[in-house]
Amino acid sequence: MAAARATEAVAARFAAVTAKRALDLALGSLLLLAAAPALALAALALALRPPWTRGGVLRRETRIGLGGRPFELRSLRTRRFRLDLLSRLPHVVRGDLSLVGPPPLRPGHPALRGPVTGARRQELRPGWTGLSQVRARSRMPWDEPALLDAHYAEHHGTGLDLAILARTAHLRLREGLRAIRPGKARLSDTDHRLPGYSGAE
């Protein structure tokens, strides 16, 4: 009986992982295809900047992925319209990131060393977006990023992933409209984060 329950648990876990990866491949590929023209134009604009303002087209950072393995996270060196975030979509298709998950952290980050949360993180691909990112505007005590990441690790599923993706789209669209509205200053990348947030995104 115990062996049968263990087998069922493993089968259910495998099915959940497979469904999550299928969603990443399907939706990630569609988003990348839709964003490709804007990303190509942004990359060209960055490449054509005057020499004294250049810092390279891509920002390259080491982050910790599935199973605690490091990978090089690449993103465009621009925050305008969150094209830097969209430029990480190839990582989703390739499998370095999932569409939804805890944020990709730098090596040595304290959250990676927690006896519980650190182990849970290693079982998940880091996310292109995630629960802590979409709830970061809240000032409620239970919306502290580490608690949200732990909650996601325990309760993640397709329904929650789709809800987080819908919320991400809503927030990005609202920020985009504010950015192009005359007389409105653009939000910085840190304006919406709680004090002490790690900035791992």
Side-chain angles (χ1 to χ4, degrees), residues 50-65:
W52 59 87
T53 65
R54 289 180 187 170
V57 174
L58 294 175
R59 179 181 292 105
R60 302 167 188 266
E61 303 168 295
T62 300
R63 299 297 171 95
I64 300 299

Side-chain angles (χ1 to χ4, degrees), residues 32-177:
L32 181 58
L33 186 63
L39 293 176
L41 287 174
L44 180 62
L46 289 169
L48 295 177
R49 287 180 302 175
W52 59 87
T53 65
R54 289 180 187 170
V57 174
L58 294 175
R59 179 181 292 105
R60 302 167 188 266
E61 303 168 295
T62 300
R63 299 297 171 95
I64 300 299
L66 181 67
R69 292 185 294 271
F71 70 97
E72 185 178 67
L73 180 67
R74 302 175 186 179
S75 51
L76 287 175
R77 290 182 178 273
T78 177
R79 297 289 182 185
R80 184 164 296 185
F81 307 121
R82 297 313 305 267
L83 289 175
D84 60 324
L85 185 65
L86 290 174
S87 70
R88 296 177 184 177
L89 284 170
H91 288 288
V92 174
V93 177
R94 190 161 54 235
D96 299 324
L97 298 176
S98 180
L99 280 172
V100 181
L105 300 178
R106 295 179 175 88
H109 192 282
L112 296 170
R113 297 192 294 269
V116 177
T117 55
R120 288 182 183 142
R121 274 181 169 275
Q122 292 193 21
E123 296 175 357
L124 294 172
R125 285 184 177 87
W128 177 71
T129 186
L131 187 59
S132 60
Q133 290 95 316
V134 300
R135 293 290 294 271
R137 291 179 185 273
S138 171
R139 297 287 176 175
M140 304 304 290
W142 51 82
D143 279 351
E144 199 276 326
L147 294 177
L148 291 170
D149 291 340
H151 176 83
Y152 178 81
E154 291 180 1
H155 303 286
H156 66 90
T158 302
L160 179 58
D161 284 0
L162 291 174
I164 291 171
L165 287 170
R167 180 63 176 162
T168 299
H170 172 76
L171 290 174
R172 298 303 172 235
L173 178 61
R174 190 168 65 183
E175 288 179 4
L177 291 174

